[in-house]
Amino acid sequence: MAVTPGAVRTAAVRTATAGAHRHWLMRPIGFNVNQCCFVPRFSTTYRHGVPRQRIDLTSHCHTSQVRQPHRPLGLARRWRNPPVYRPLVDLSTMEERHVILTYRLDRATIQELCAQLEPDLMSPIRQPTGIPPLVQVLSVLHFLASGSFQTIVAISSGMSPPMFSTVLSALIKYMRSYIVFPEVGDLATVKGDFYALGHIPNIIGAIDGTHVALVPPSESEHVYRNRKSYHSMNVQVVCLADQYISHVNAKFPGSVHDAYIMRNSSIPYVMEQLQRHHVWLIGDSGYPNLSWLLTPVRNPRTRAEERYNEAHGRTRRIIERTFGLLKARFRCLHMTGGSLMYSPKKVCHIIVACCMLHNLVLRRQVPFLQEDGPDGGVVAAVEPVESEEEEDDGDDTDNRDTVIQQYFQ
């Protein structure tokens, strides 16, 4: 039988295909010289699942000619990277004055605060961050004291914004142990301290409101615009004669009146419970005159009323000095520190945390140090006296008239 040229060509093609197929079968499975990132010593070749021979691959390729491609994540071996710690702040090497100027607390008070917050900052249910509690507390203190942007402080300390909220929440947890209204056993001492200021008896606190600027939410921007035409939170504070804050309410926006905040706080209930001890709070003309709240006489007609107004002003000025000292220590609350760019809830936590630290500083008798400079770099220790006018509806002037007749005639 004659062999045609077409048959010869077909046989040649089949032979070449079979050779190529045999060559592919002889390759080591799972090994590619052009894609490997290491050179194994030996490899076993397979043919139909049966090992054929062992080939010395060292003699077939060189590490200098092998590419280093990206290995698939599913096949790459995962190694846990060791934690990298930033250089920590060593309080023992810092001067005491520098510590107070930077953090507003002295070294011993900072260590005491860290020991109190450490169980909350090192919770076992929370993934460890590698940042010690001391660094977390110092970062938050520096932010509150300087009024700088939180992101700048976070970059320098390695903390994320959620960690700031964690420290604030841990601090707010102990609010009841830092901000306490005077108890019945302490009323005599408190009344004596206030009497030394203006010679008005039975005063146990001065009440007033102050504004803390913030960037408002877009959906309720108008609610946070106060009477001074900027956005703020209206903070109600009651202080003692030594500038200790005994009550704080930071839940209401800037457009809310001081008298409305007072009526919707716990102050009326607390003062009603203390009425059997014949004690009063003292406030400006923005509040109504109540059985437990003394306000100035708006239009004095007698010399006794004028003397009462003068004594009232000397006594009530302590709350203005408290606001000035609070905002001088913690610049994040003052306009010079810029508006707080956080949600109203977080701004409320920042305000309460500053009030707690203010009381802690007074309790530990940490001195107030001013920055070097022509003006000290701080705000004035007394804020300007500005009060909103309140209508006379519902005023109870019997108590005030009795005080004027008995003590200022």
Side-chain angles (χ1 to χ4, degrees):
M1 182 175 178
V3 179
T4 62
V8 174
R9 288 194 299 271
T10 303
V13 170
R14 289 178 179 175
T15 303
T17 304
H21 186 61
R22 286 195 302 270
H23 179 69
W24 177 80
L25 288 175
M26 294 296 293
R27 291 182 180 179
I29 302 300
F31 178 79
N32 190 338
V33 176
N34 295 326
Q35 295 182 357
C36 68
C37 59
F38 63 92
V39 179
R41 177 62 181 173
F42 294 99
S43 178
T44 304
T45 59
Y46 293 85
R47 181 178 179 86
H48 302 295
V50 180
R52 288 285 303 274
Q53 59 179 342
R54 296 179 62 84
I55 304 175
D56 187 358
L57 299 177
T58 309
S59 59
H60 289 76
C61 61
H62 302 280
T63 56
S64 60
Q65 299 176 355
V66 176
R67 294 188 302 163
Q68 305 291 335
H70 296 286
R71 304 179 70 182
L73 294 179
L75 300 179
R77 185 173 181 180
R78 298 179 180 271
W79 295 91
R80 182 187 174 116
N81 295 328
V84 178
Y85 296 97
R86 294 175 178 268
L88 303 182
V89 178
D90 189 2
L91 292 178
S92 60
T93 60
M94 298 176 61
E95 296 182 0
E96 189 72 13
R97 174 181 174 83
H98 182 59
V99 173
I100 297 176
L101 287 176
T102 306
Y103 305 110
R104 300 302 190 253
L105 278 70
D106 61 354
R107 186 181 294 105
T109 306
I110 292 176
Q111 294 175 351
E112 175 186 331
L113 184 62
C114 289
Q116 184 179 22
L117 300 181
E118 185 174 1
D120 300 283
L121 301 181
M122 298 293 291
S123 176
I125 64 174
R126 198 174 294 121
Q127 184 177 1
T129 59
I131 300 180
L134 177 61
V135 178
Q136 300 181 40
V137 173
L138 291 180
S139 300
V140 174
L141 291 178
H142 179 54
F143 163 70
L144 299 178
S146 63
S148 178
F149 288 101
Q150 179 178 313
T151 54
I152 298 177
V153 180
I155 291 174
S156 61
S157 61
M159 289 179 58
S160 60
M163 295 184 68
F164 276 84
S165 301
T166 301
V167 179
L168 288 176
S169 301
L171 189 60
I172 297 298
K173 179 180 177 181
Y174 300 94
M175 180 183 66
R176 298 297 181 183
S177 60
Y178 285 86
I179 302 177
V180 182
F181 207 79
E183 299 181 355
V184 177
D186 302 327
L187 294 182
T189 303
V190 175
K191 289 190 293 186
D193 295 339
F194 270 104
Y195 185 81
L197 296 178
H199 299 285
I200 299 181
N202 301 329
I203 301 296
I204 63 170
I207 184 172
D208 201 359
T210 185
H211 291 270
V212 176
L214 83 161
V215 177
S218 57
E219 63 273 7
S220 56
E221 176 269 341
H222 62 284
V223 179
Y224 294 88
R225 184 177 295 275
N226 57 29
R227 70 183 187 275
K228 302 177 184 178
S229 299
Y230 68 90
H231 303 94
S232 66
M233 296 290 289
N234 195 354
V235 184
Q236 174 186 276
V237 171
V238 177
C239 77
L240 305 183
D242 57 356
Q243 300 182 345
Y244 184 90
I245 295 177
S246 59
H247 170 82
V248 59
N249 189 335
K251 300 186 297 184
F252 292 89
S255 62
V256 179
H257 197 279
D258 291 348
Y260 179 86
I261 299 177
M262 183 266 297
R263 294 191 189 100
N264 291 272
S265 65
S266 60
I267 289 299
Y269 174 78
V270 173
M271 294 304 299
E272 289 293 341
Q273 300 298 317
L274 295 176
Q275 277 303 287
R276 63 180 182 273
H277 300 283
H278 305 287
V279 293
W280 301 299
L281 294 181
I282 190 170
D284 58 16
S285 57
Y287 295 96
N289 199 86
L290 303 175
S291 60
W292 46 267
L293 179 60
L294 296 180
T295 59
V297 179
R298 298 183 181 177
N299 299 308
R301 295 184 296 269
T302 63
R303 180 57 185 163
E305 292 180 347
E306 292 177 356
R307 286 196 291 266
Y308 166 78
N309 279 356
E310 293 174 359
H312 187 282
R314 291 194 302 269
T315 307
R316 196 192 63 82
R317 199 171 294 120
I318 189 63
I319 186 66
E320 304 296 341
R321 290 199 293 268
T322 301
F323 287 148
L325 182 61
L326 175 66
K327 295 184 177 182
R329 272 202 171 104
F330 303 102
R331 297 295 298 275
C332 65
L333 303 181
H334 197 265
M335 288 290 293
T336 57
S339 301
L340 293 173
M341 305 177 64
Y342 310 102
S343 64
K345 181 179 180 180
K346 188 170 183 179
V347 171
C348 175
H349 288 175
I350 292 175
I351 295 171
V352 175
C354 291
C355 294
M356 294 172 58
L357 295 174
H358 170 83
N359 287 349
L360 178 60
V361 168
L362 294 180
R363 183 189 307 170
R364 297 299 298 266
Q365 299 181 355
V366 180
F368 174 60
L369 303 180
Q370 299 184 3
E371 299 283 354
D372 297 332
D375 58 350
V378 297
V379 296
V382 179
E383 283 200 337
V385 179
E386 296 183 6
S387 61
E388 301 180 67
E389 294 296 328
E390 175 73 7
E391 298 294 333
D392 292 335
D393 298 341
D395 276 12
D396 183 5
T397 60
D398 294 340
N399 249 355
R400 185 176 64 189
D401 295 340
T402 302
V403 172
I404 293 175
Q405 292 175 6
Q406 292 182 358
Y407 298 96
F408 297 96
Q409 284 292 352

